[in-house]
Each structure stands twice: as structure tokens, then as C-alpha cells.
Amino acid sequence: MQRILLLAATLGLISILGAQNQPWKGKFEPIDNLIAPPNTFRNASGAPTKSYWQQRADYKIKATIDETNNLLSGEETITYYNNSPDDLSYLWVQLEQNVNKKGNEDFGAIGNRMKDSMNTRQMQFLTRTLDFPAGYSIKSVKDKNNADVETIINNTMMKVKLNDVLKSGTSTTLYINWSYPITDRSLFKLSREGYEYFPEDNNTVYLMGHWFPRMAVYNDTEGWQNQQFQKLGEFALEFGNYEVDITVPADHIVAATGSLENSASVLNKTQLKRFNEAKTAFDKPIMIITEEEAINNEKQKSKKQQTWKFKAENVRDFSFASSRKFLWDVQAVKLATNTVLAMSFYPKEGLPVWRESSTNAIKQALEVYSEATFDYPYPVAISVNTSNVGIEYPMISFNGGRPIGGQISERRKQQMISTIVHEVGHNWFPMIVSSDERKWMWMDEGLNTFLHQRTIAERYPNASSVTPKTIVPFMSGDKSILRPIMTTSDNELFSQFGYNFYYKPTVGLQMLRNSIIGKELFDEAFKEYANRWKYKHPNPADLFRTLEDATATDLDWFFRGWFFTTDHVDMELSEVKWFTVYENQTNLEDRTNKSQVKLNTEGKNSNAKEQDFTNGPEVINMISAPDSAYGQFLSRLDEPQMRKALSGKNIYEITIKNIGGLVMPVTIEWIFTDGSSEIDILPAEIWRKNEYEIQKTFIKEKEVNKVNLDPNFEFPDTDVSNNSFPKTGQDSDFDTFKKNKTN
């Protein structure tokens, strides 16, 4: 028995070495050494355990906009809950506005090269020729006893050295008084917040994002997340409840995270009546402030002030917009467990497309995302029109897209709608499923873009949406500059991050859903992940483990290749061999009438590659199996029945090469001589024994005219010219013969 096993092993090794002469890459090995290990708080299935904890920070804020000087000042009370098992002697507070200080880290090397010709705005980005004050003035930081607390500011992070150690399971209170000059968004590249000035009517729209000192995240996997803010990697934040008073000029309209608590005080009777009617307006939006009213409002320039009061529960951030220019419309959206008020705020410069399309886009996003994950839990979802940006915060987003002179092309209109859907969708990822944007941009952008593109495909079928074909140019790119998806946010090239953090994860999830796992099982797993980590802080390992746990599918090969390498998909249909089984002379003569056949005669080079099917099948002999082939089995095959089953059948052996390095399932389309076709699908596991080349044999009733790989472009194959047999672009001899005969 040992001799038999040794012989079998030797023959198998020779076979494998003969077929694979390239180094083994371990493409199907587990990825445990690449991801964070499970711990007491996150189990091996990708779920939070009963011991899972996270910190909490509640805020009470009073803020004032000084429109004359473009200055924001505020005072806040932070109640910080230490739910960790650790005692803390200091806390870290984020001061993102400091990124705008001249000389700070900012964007590093983005766009820092001189050119022969540069416009003034490019020069401003590069040299900051026009300088201005920026960053926080922290006037005081005090504790619950009103005692000063020592602080040290390091760029965009402030270390708060507590007067008393914050014990595990207790809370503390900080009182911070601060101000900063609001920046002109037009002076910054990729500016997410600040003010936009409208010279024509001498008015301003304020977009207030990352505007107050906020607690950094402290968690079980890395302690303090206190990486510096460099603008590309966004935010990691704790959940909490907010009470925010915003004082602005009396003729301003404010859109903000949360519920408006004093609508009767800040809205006039007509506006209040319309607002209450909108709460049950499910068919179309109701204008709270009309175009005529907004234009009239632009002229007032009130010197008085008015305070808007908002409350928000269980959110990780707070943002607002303020201007006297806003039109405002509202529509109610009924979900399975909740009614949401979809709202749009926009200056007259956004007409007519914003009035026609913005709130409807919010509605579409709310419905599709809720179905795919969990019902949107908050009372409002807001889209605010601005220029040159799409940025998200809880319940509110700032979205670009404006007509010129009231006109907008269909392409730009679809881009605008797509931006709104995308930014509203961020309410799920990362505003509720709260991943670390500063470290893993793809976890919020990629997952969100996946559902954003699904929304576009389902609700706007005439618009273009991302498919595997979209990323072929990127996947075909220069490998010397490409980085894996699992690259931290600020380390990706500015020219590449859109494809790598948005589109590539999206296509990966599309392939899992449509071609690897299947829609029903994938959708359940994706929903499981969203609900497991709702209002919590997942990391990549939690996502990977959950998708495997909820589908009973080994996906380590996929995660390894798609997320941790820059390999690409390029499968080559290298060879197709056609065989029939020799039966008897009469049968052979009958088949010769149908097509030419080849006899495997002695001395014939049977390894020569065929270019097409014109030479007919190679006839092979099927001999009886000797008793030794059965080993210890006493039963025998019914050979006459087996020969009968193969009678008249066509046997095709195909050879597929993995040129790009990325293993994927193989979809094979057979097109028969009668014009009909069928599909065979080989799972990715077929590459386990040989990562570079596979052979597979199929039996077909009909004769094949053509074979194609991935006919529906389910995978981003970078070279489809090698996906067919006979080769695409050249007619086989048989095709030429048929054409000549027809003519």
C-alpha cells in the first residue's frame, strides 16, 4: 500500500511540476496573517462580542457666525464616557481646522510642481500667495471643577492632560471655548467646508463641517486614533447626543444635523404652515421657501441675529449650512419602520435642476439603502447645493452640480444626481456603520459606492453606472505606481484614490454578489454586516469575516487577491481540443459524413495546437479498464452502457491561462453550429492546484462553433482579445467556407 501511495504521489508531483513552472504564490492560503486577529471584543466570525465596548461623547454647543468678519466662535461642553477597561490620564481632541494653517502638513506633494503655464488659482493652491489667518484659537479648556486643564497642540490634534485620571466606567466633562476664521473655499484644493461668496448679490453660503473640537476615537484595536488630518483621510469619531444652538443673521436659513427644536421661533407663519404640511407630503416636495422669497431675502441683510436650536441623538458628528440665499423644499419618505423628511436647500443659482431633482434623489437613496441594510433611523436627510464638492455628515450633505444660466447638460445633471445619492448614502457608511475613514478610506467610500451604484442602476436605468468594465483602464495601469486597496487613506496617490478606494471595492462587491456568491446569499451577508456593526466601529477584518461567516463561502482567495495585491484579471483561452470516442468502422463512416475526423495514428503530433475546428475531432480509443484499475473494489463499470452514453458526443478539452495573476471563477460560453449557446461556470477553486494554467474537459451533444470566456464581462478582464477560440478578429477556415458558400 505504501508503494502504491508513493507512486501516486510521485506521478502527481511530476504532473503538477510539468504543468506549473512558475513559483507558487499561495493564492488560496488563509489571510489570517494579513488582518487583525479576533480578540475578546471581536470574535472570529466578524461580530462584536458581548464584551465589545466603545467610548461615547455628548456635546452641548453654542456657536455664532460673525458674517461681517467671517468668524465662527463657540463654546462647548463635552461629556466623555470611558467605557473601555483602561484608565486614561489624557484625552485626544481633533482640531481639523488647523490643517488650513500655512506650513501645516496639509496635502504634502499633491500638485506641487510648476508648469510652463499656470492659472492664478493653480498658483494659489501651490504657493498660497494670498495668505489669510486660519486655524483654531483655543481660548480655554476647563474641567468639571472649572479648573484649567493643561493642553498640548500638535498640528490637528490636541492632547488634554486630565487633572484627575479618568477611571474605567466613569465619565468626565470638558468645557472648551474657541474660535476660528472661516476659510474661503475657493482658495483651497478639495475644500470640504468654509464659505462660498456670490459677488452678484454680495451674499455668502456657509458650509460648516469639522467646525468644533471633537473627541478622537479610542478603541480596542489601536488605542487612540490620533493620526493627523491631511484632508484626504477623513474622520474617525465617537457616537453621542448633541444639543446645538446656532446664532446667525436673522434672515439666514439654517440646515443642520438633527431635528429643529424651535421652528415656531425661527420660521414665519407661512413657512411653519408649509413645513407642517410637508411632514405628510409623500407624493412631491413642498416649497418651504420659494424662489421669489429667497431672492427677496437676499436683499435684506439683517443686522439682527437669531438662534436656531437643534437636537440629534446617537450621531458621530454634527454639521450645518447657513445662508439667506436658500430656497428650501421638503418631502416625506415612508420607510418600513420610519418616516423621514427629505430636504433640499439651494441658492437660486441651482435652479431649475435642484428643485426638480435633488429631493427625489434623496428619496431614491433612502429607499434602496434601507432595503439593502436597515431602515434609515434619523428624522431628516438633507442635501445642500454648493460648488465643487460632495461631502457627507450625519443627516446632511453638501453637494456640487449647478446649471449655467439655468441650463445643464444631461451628463452633468446625472453627475449631480449621482453625487447626491452618494453623499446621502454615506449616512449608512460611515455615519452609522462607523468605520475609520482616516485609516481605511475604502471601507466607507467603497461600500457606499457599491450601494450608490446599485441605486443608480435600479432607479436611474438610463444613467451610466459602474460595472467591472469601468475599472479595466485602472487595472491595466502601471504596476509601479498602483497600490492595493488595503493602503491607508493618506498614503494613496491623489491621481489613483478615486479608482482604488471607490470603484475597485465597488466592483469587488459586485462580483461577489453577481458572480461568486450569488445575490440572495450575498445580500443577506451584507445586511448582516451592516446590522452587526450599526453604531459601532468595524475594521476590515470584521467585514471579511462576516461575509464568509454569513455565506459559508471561503473568500480568503478573493480578499487576498483583490484587496491586498495589484494583480489584475486576464484569462487567456489558450487552447480548445475536440475529441470523439472511436466506436466502430460503421459509426466512424457515419460521422465522417457530418464532419472531418482525425485518427490518432502512431507518429502523429497530437500536441500540435489547433487554430479552429476545421480539422474536425480527434478520434480516441476507449479501452476496457483492467482489474488493477479498480483496486479493492469488486464492482465494475457497465462499459457497454458507458460507450452508449458517449456515442455521438463531442468532447472538448480547454486550456485556460492566468495571465494577470488574479484568480477568478471562469465563465465559459459555448456557441454551437446551429446558433444555440449555453454557459458553464467553473468556481475559482479550480485554480487551487495550479495558479497559472488549468485544463477542463466537457461533453457536449452538439458541435461547437466558438468558445468565449466571460461573455457578459462579469470580471474586469484587461485583455478580451485572448478570450475566444477561434481567436476574435479572425474568421476560422470553416467560417470562411460558410461565407463563400452563402455568397
Side-chain angles (χ1 to χ4, degrees):
M1 181 63 180
Q2 289 179 335
R3 291 179 61 191
I4 294 173
L5 290 175
L6 180 61
L7 176 62
T10 303
L11 291 174
L13 179 61
I14 292 172
S15 174
I16 291 172
L17 291 177
Q20 176 176 314
N21 57 8
Q22 300 184 64
W24 178 69
K25 295 290 186 67
K27 296 180 187 293
F28 287 88
E29 288 299 292
I31 61 169
D32 295 351
N33 63 322
L34 300 176
I35 58 177
N39 59 28
T40 305
F41 315 109
R42 302 161 191 262
N43 65 32
S45 71
T49 70
K50 292 181 179 179
S51 300
Y52 175 83
W53 58 267
Q54 67 188 38
Q55 311 291 65
R56 185 175 187 86
D58 293 341
Y59 297 83
K60 293 183 178 179
I61 307 173
K62 294 182 178 180
T64 301
I65 288 180
D66 176 351
E67 188 177 31
T68 302
N69 298 302
N70 287 319
L71 182 74
L72 181 73
S73 58
E75 54 186 53
E76 64 185 285
T77 301
I78 305 175
T79 304
Y80 184 74
Y81 299 87
N82 182 14
N83 298 320
S84 79
D86 309 319
D87 296 341
L88 302 175
S89 60
Y90 56 82
L91 310 176
W92 282 101
V93 175
Q94 303 184 54
L95 302 178
E96 281 91 345
Q97 287 299 322
N98 284 355
V99 77
N100 293 323
K101 286 185 174 181
K102 191 171 184 179
N104 220 336
E105 291 185 27
D106 201 352
F107 274 98
I110 291 179
N112 67 342
R113 298 190 66 178
M114 295 294 292
K115 301 176 183 178
D116 291 341
S117 177
M118 299 182 68
N119 64 46
T120 54
R121 193 158 182 260
Q122 291 172 328
M123 187 64 78
Q124 170 65 17
F125 294 157
L126 181 61
T127 66
R128 193 156 165 173
T129 306
L130 302 177
D131 202 9
F132 44 84
Y136 282 105
S137 294
I138 303 296
K139 299 174 182 177
S140 65
V141 179
K142 297 181 179 294
D143 65 13
K144 61 184 177 181
N145 299 317
N146 204 34
D148 289 335
V149 180
E150 183 182 352
T151 63
I152 302 174
I153 295 177
N154 177 14
N155 292 331
T156 62
M157 286 287 172
M158 179 170 69
K159 187 176 187 179
V160 178
K161 302 173 71 174
L162 298 173
N163 293 326
D164 299 297
V165 171
L166 180 59
K167 297 289 187 179
S168 172
T170 65
S171 65
T172 192
T173 302
L174 295 177
Y175 302 94
I176 305 177
N177 197 311
W178 47 268
S179 66
Y180 70 86
I182 304 170
T183 54
D184 181 347
R185 291 186 53 244
S186 69
L187 299 178
F188 289 92
K189 198 170 197 176
L190 199 64
S191 58
R192 293 180 174 90
E193 54 74 42
Y195 68 82
E196 179 182 2
Y197 178 64
F198 291 78
E200 182 179 313
D201 51 63
N202 189 31
N203 274 299
T204 302
V205 170
Y206 293 95
L207 306 178
M208 307 312 299
H210 45 94
W211 53 279
F212 60 99
R214 304 177 294 177
M215 295 302 307
V217 166
Y218 183 80
N219 63 31
D220 61 283
T221 57
E222 62 181 323
W224 285 107
Q225 166 48 294
N226 54 10
Q227 291 178 225
Q228 295 293 330
F229 179 47
Q230 294 178 298
K231 289 192 176 179
L232 202 56
E234 295 177 0
F235 317 118
L237 298 162
E238 303 287 10
F239 286 96
N241 297 330
Y242 286 75
E243 296 179 18
V244 182
D245 293 353
I246 303 166
T247 301
V248 294
D251 48 5
H252 271 220
I253 299 297
V254 178
T257 300
S259 299
L260 177 59
E261 296 293 295
N262 65 331
S263 55
S265 300
V266 295
L267 303 180
N268 62 39
K269 290 182 179 180
T270 301
Q271 293 167 347
L272 185 60
K273 180 176 180 294
R274 293 168 180 167
F275 185 64
N276 289 329
E277 289 174 355
K279 294 176 181 178
T280 56
F282 296 99
D283 295 332
K284 63 180 182 180
I286 288 180
M287 297 300 303
I288 312 302
I289 298 176
T290 67
E291 178 182 2
E292 181 182 3
E293 291 165 344
I295 292 174
N296 185 60
N297 210 27
E298 288 179 343
K299 304 171 184 177
Q300 301 301 311
K301 302 290 178 65
S302 175
K303 297 300 181 182
K304 297 180 180 179
Q305 290 188 317
Q306 186 166 250
T307 299
W308 295 60
K309 295 179 178 291
F310 294 90
K311 277 188 178 181
E313 295 183 352
N314 212 16
V315 293
R316 68 175 222 159
D317 199 2
F318 189 102
S319 183
F320 71 94
S322 181
S323 180
R324 63 176 56 85
K325 289 179 65 66
F326 284 146
L327 288 78
W328 176 15
D329 70 56
V330 180
Q331 180 178 350
V333 180
K334 185 67 174 176
L335 304 175
T337 61
N338 193 22
T339 296
V340 183
L341 295 184
M343 304 182 184
S344 294
F345 295 77
Y346 42 95
K348 65 180 185 299
E349 288 77 6
L351 293 172
V353 65
W354 269 73
R355 182 167 54 201
E356 297 166 351
S357 303
S358 176
T359 298
N360 182 62
I362 299 172
K363 177 178 182 292
Q364 306 309 319
L366 290 173
E367 292 174 347
V368 174
Y369 278 74
S370 293
E371 181 182 353
T373 55
F374 48 80
D375 275 2
Y376 183 81
Y378 297 132
V380 299
I382 299 170
S383 171
V384 180
N385 177 234
T386 183
S387 59
N388 297 37
V389 74
I391 183 64
E392 72 283 355
Y393 301 95
M395 302 187 223
I396 187 171
S397 57
F398 307 149
N399 303 308
R402 267 194 203 137
I404 299 174
Q407 301 297 315
I408 190 169
S409 68
E410 185 61 27
R411 183 181 67 85
R412 291 187 64 236
K413 176 182 175 181
Q414 294 302 333
Q415 289 175 342
M416 181 201 87
I417 290 171
S418 187
T419 298
I420 294 169
V421 168
H422 180 89
E423 304 306 341
V424 170
H426 270 306
N427 278 285
W428 282 265
F429 307 99
M431 299 305 157
I432 299 174
V433 182
S434 183
S435 56
D436 181 353
E437 298 174 89
R438 190 153 298 175
K439 195 167 188 178
W440 305 116
M441 183 187 291
W442 70 266
M443 282 197 75
D444 69 289
E445 297 296 356
L447 271 63
N448 179 48
T449 303
F450 167 64
L451 288 185
H452 150 215
Q453 293 299 322
R454 181 171 160 186
T455 305
I456 296 299
E458 291 180 7
R459 299 301 176 92
Y460 299 92
N462 294 326
S464 61
S465 56
V466 171
T467 68
K469 190 174 290 188
T470 304
I471 65 167
V472 165
F474 172 71
M475 299 290 284
S476 306
D478 182 357
K479 292 294 178 70
S480 68
I481 64 170
L482 291 183
R483 289 154 167 76
I485 294 175
M486 286 293 290
T487 298
T488 51
S489 304
D490 289 311
N491 292 333
E492 179 56 286
L493 296 175
F494 189 62
S495 60
Q496 304 287 324
F497 83 93
Y499 273 100
N500 207 26
F501 293 154
Y502 290 65
Y503 289 169
K504 190 179 176 185
T506 293
V507 170
L509 294 173
Q510 288 175 340
M511 291 189 297
L512 288 176
R513 183 175 190 250
N514 299 327
S515 307
I516 297 173
I517 297 173
K519 289 184 179 180
E520 182 179 8
L521 203 53
F522 175 85
D523 287 351
E524 284 193 6
F526 194 80
K527 184 174 288 190
E528 180 72 24
Y529 167 74
N531 281 276
R532 279 181 176 182
W533 291 98
K534 182 166 56 175
Y535 303 117
K536 297 181 177 69
H537 300 314
N539 60 37
D542 300 315
L543 172 64
F544 297 153
R545 291 190 174 108
T546 296
L547 291 180
E548 289 191 326
D549 177 66
T551 63
T553 306
D554 178 5
L555 296 171
D556 279 21
W557 63 269
F558 180 81
F559 299 141
R560 176 184 290 275
W562 196 254
F563 287 87
F564 289 91
T565 78
T566 59
D567 290 347
H568 62 280
V569 181
D570 181 10
M571 295 185 191
E572 177 186 72
L573 183 53
S574 176
E575 189 173 13
V576 179
K577 292 183 178 181
W578 179 18
F579 302 93
T580 59
V581 175
Y582 174 76
E583 299 173 45
N584 54 52
Q585 188 64 33
T586 302
N587 189 294
L588 179 59
E589 291 173 354
D590 290 341
R591 284 193 58 77
T592 305
N593 292 332
K594 298 178 183 178
S595 60
Q596 185 179 353
V597 297
K598 296 185 298 178
L599 289 173
N600 187 10
T601 57
E602 186 177 353
K604 180 178 177 65
N605 182 10
S606 60
N607 292 323
K609 278 193 176 184
E610 296 290 345
Q611 300 300 312
D612 51 43
F613 297 113
T614 55
N615 289 332
E618 181 178 328
V619 179
I620 60 174
N621 290 312
M622 187 173 70
I623 62 175
S624 296
D627 287 344
S628 60
Y630 290 93
Q632 297 178 10
F633 287 105
L634 300 179
S635 60
R636 297 293 183 266
L637 285 170
D638 185 342
E639 292 191 351
Q641 183 63 33
M642 185 174 176
R643 293 178 187 278
K644 183 178 179 181
L646 287 171
S647 176
K649 300 295 194 302
N650 301 282
I651 303 173
Y652 294 92
E653 178 196 79
I654 67 171
T655 300
I656 302 171
K657 292 184 178 180
N658 180 5
I659 306 298
L662 204 58
V663 294
M664 283 290 160
V666 181
T667 305
I668 306 164
E669 179 187 43
W670 307 89
I671 300 176
F672 302 106
T673 54
D674 65 1
S676 62
S677 64
E678 67 180 33
I679 296 287
D680 283 309
I681 299 175
L682 306 179
E685 284 76 10
I686 195 153
W687 300 97
R688 279 187 183 276
K689 298 298 187 290
N690 189 326
E691 300 166 343
Y692 301 96
E693 181 178 300
I694 57 173
Q695 284 82 33
K696 182 68 176 177
T697 301
F698 300 85
I699 298 176
K700 300 298 177 185
E701 296 282 346
K702 303 175 184 178
E703 291 185 12
V704 172
N705 183 48
K706 190 171 186 179
V707 186
N708 296 314
L709 297 183
D710 194 14
N712 299 317
F713 220 107
E714 298 173 74
F715 306 99
D717 196 311
T718 60
D719 182 7
V720 296
S721 68
N722 59 12
N723 282 21
S724 299
F725 184 93
K727 297 298 182 185
T728 301
Q730 65 179 48
D731 288 341
S732 68
D733 294 340
F734 182 62
D735 290 329
T736 304
F737 170 76
K738 285 197 301 180
K739 287 181 180 179
N740 292 337
K741 189 173 182 180
T742 302
N743 294 336

